[in-house]
Amino acid sequence: MPEARILIVEDEDAIMEIVSQALRRHGYETASASDGDAALEKIFSLRPDLVILDLMLPKMDGWEVCRRMKAEPETERIPILMLTARRDERDVVEGLELGADDYMKKPFSLAELTARVKALLRRTGERRESRIVENGDLRIELDDETALLRGTPLDLSPTEFRLLEALARKMGRTASREELLSKIWSFYGGDTRTVDVHISRLRKKLDDGKSPALAINSLRGRGYRLVWE
Ligand code: CA
């Protein structure tokens, strides 16, 4: 993979320093911002390949940075790895709902951080091969990351896109949350709540009010499956 450029947004100097050093040791280029305003400015000027985003920041918090990134076509597809010091799970859920792709709770291990960074970059870099997944009126073009429902492009985040691809490859069959988690997030025995949050966002985006509907069925305790109904 060519050297990826990673923007680290963090107001605690010590954390900024160790994260930055660890990523450079792995061959990544890094840039930094210590408040939300500076972060947005750098996101738009540098167009990083990935943003590591602390939630509690001066001037503008991480949720707002995330919201604004997702509101602009030029930056909405940049993957976001959130950092949170809080214990409250709702913070994480809100971040994921705003479009963050993954999160880590402080304190975290540098090995795990670099592993997740690598996984996120791999996911966004995997679109080179020209491949198409097609089922009925759903067409997923992997080479340019487009998903079309009845010919209309769906407005999906990179994570939602990968999720839809994984479900579409098993159309009508059940994919367990663990399977989706490992396929898409490469967590080490991670948190299936992440899958649920992204599924519910994807489900809303698939609802175009037409028939047959492309639906994601929840199978209690088993997982999810994509069906026409
Ligand atoms: Ca902070």
Side-chain angles (χ1 to χ4, degrees), residues 6-211:
I6 300 172
L7 177 66
I8 307 159
V9 185
E10 171 61 78
D11 59 319
E12 287 169 66
D13 292 342
I15 297 179
M16 163 72 77
E17 195 52 37
I18 56 161
V19 168
S20 172
Q21 280 176 8
L23 293 174
R24 284 181 192 192
R25 269 200 306 278
H26 281 79
Y28 298 114
E29 239 183 81
T30 64
S32 61
S34 55
D35 66 60
D37 286 349
L40 267 190
E41 198 184 303
K42 291 199 174 173
I43 287 161
F44 284 96
S45 61
L46 300 174
R47 296 295 167 80
D49 298 300
L50 183 141
V51 177
I52 295 177
L53 181 63
D54 183 32
L55 285 178
M56 299 302 286
L57 291 168
K59 295 189 184 171
M60 182 191 300
D61 65 32
W63 294 277
E64 186 58 24
V65 171
C66 189
R67 199 173 285 125
R68 296 201 191 184
M69 278 177 75
K70 295 299 166 184
E72 300 298 328
E74 315 92 86
T75 54
E76 67 176 353
R77 284 170 179 265
I78 300 173
I80 300 171
L81 172 58
M82 291 188 314
L83 300 180
T84 172
R86 295 197 181 176
R87 293 281 160 250
D88 191 343
E89 295 247 306
R90 280 174 305 176
D91 289 348
V92 169
V93 172
E94 190 184 344
L96 293 172
E97 282 174 347
L98 287 173
D101 297 273
D102 198 358
Y103 70 92
M104 294 192 73
K105 284 185 181 166
K106 294 176 185 174
F108 48 81
S109 86
L110 288 172
E112 189 175 358
L113 178 89
T114 49
R116 292 200 186 184
V117 161
K118 202 170 153 189
L120 275 175
L121 288 170
R122 191 179 57 230
R123 271 159 55 196
T124 45
E126 255 174 13
R127 55 184 104 114
R128 310 279 175 259
E129 267 176 88
S130 170
R131 283 168 296 160
I132 290 168
V133 180
E134 214 165 5
N135 184 288
D137 279 331
L138 173 68
R139 181 182 169 90
I140 302 174
E141 298 173 0
L142 282 105
D143 51 351
D144 57 0
E145 247 190 293
T146 310
L148 302 153
L149 179 57
R150 290 178 250 277
T152 305
L154 295 166
D155 180 21
L156 305 178
S157 73
T159 301
E160 290 157 2
F161 181 84
R162 293 274 290 150
L163 201 48
L164 180 61
E165 182 207 342
L167 291 169
R169 285 188 186 280
K170 295 189 76 172
M171 194 79 185
R173 287 174 295 143
T174 305
S176 73
R177 296 150 99 213
E178 290 73 19
E179 178 184 338
L180 294 169
L181 194 61
S182 73
K183 197 171 278 177
I184 296 164
W185 283 268
S186 310
F187 272 34
Y188 317 17
D191 184 346
T192 50
R193 176 188 283 269
T194 308
V195 179
D196 299 337
V197 170
H198 282 87
I199 284 277
S200 83
R201 283 215 317 259
L202 177 59
R203 186 179 272 142
K204 283 181 202 137
K205 291 185 179 181
L206 296 180
D207 181 9
D208 64 356
K210 293 181 183 147
S211 185

